[in-house]
Amino acid sequence: MFVCICHALNDKKVKAALDQGATTPASVFRHHNCQVQCGKCVPTMRSMASEHRAIFAQQAAAAAAVVATPAAAPCCGSVLPEPANAEAVPAYAVAAE
């Protein structure tokens, strides 16, 4: 669907600009190296930008909730004891090549 007829900006191009950091219609136009002509597309771009921000905020909140979720306790609420040779366990790593 075309959002801006004057510059042939469709919804995919506008979404691409929003994904790359544009937050306002002016920044969408700057992203595509053009300027507002008639202005009929500005309300549509504003709503697309606000929807994009809302979706981004939901995703960020969901990611924060996953990180903040505590690990499940072992069965019966007991804590597993440390192994007797805990200090002798070697640390494993992946070689950076």
Side-chain angles (χ1 to χ4, degrees), residues 12 15 23-24 30 32 44 49-50 52 56-57 60 68 71-73 81 84 86-88 91-92:
K12 290 180 185 180
K15 287 178 185 178
T23 57
T24 63
R30 278 193 301 271
H32 292 290
T44 304
S50 66
H52 186 267
F56 185 75
E87 60 277 344
Y92 295 99

Side-chain angles (χ1 to χ4, degrees), residues 13-88:
K13 289 181 181 180
V14 173
K15 287 178 185 178
L18 294 172
D19 288 340
Q20 293 183 4
T23 57
T24 63
S27 59
V28 171
F29 283 115
R30 278 193 301 271
H31 177 80
H32 292 290
N33 296 321
C34 56
Q35 295 179 350
V36 178
Q37 293 293 315
C38 71
K40 290 182 181 179
C41 59
V42 172
T44 304
M45 282 191 195
R46 281 188 187 140
S47 67
M48 290 176 75
S50 66
E51 288 173 10
H52 186 267
R53 283 191 300 266
I55 290 170
F56 185 75
Q58 287 175 348
Q59 290 173 348
V66 169
V67 171
T69 304
C75 179
C76 305
S78 63
V79 177
L80 296 176
E82 288 287 325
N85 60 351
E87 60 277 344

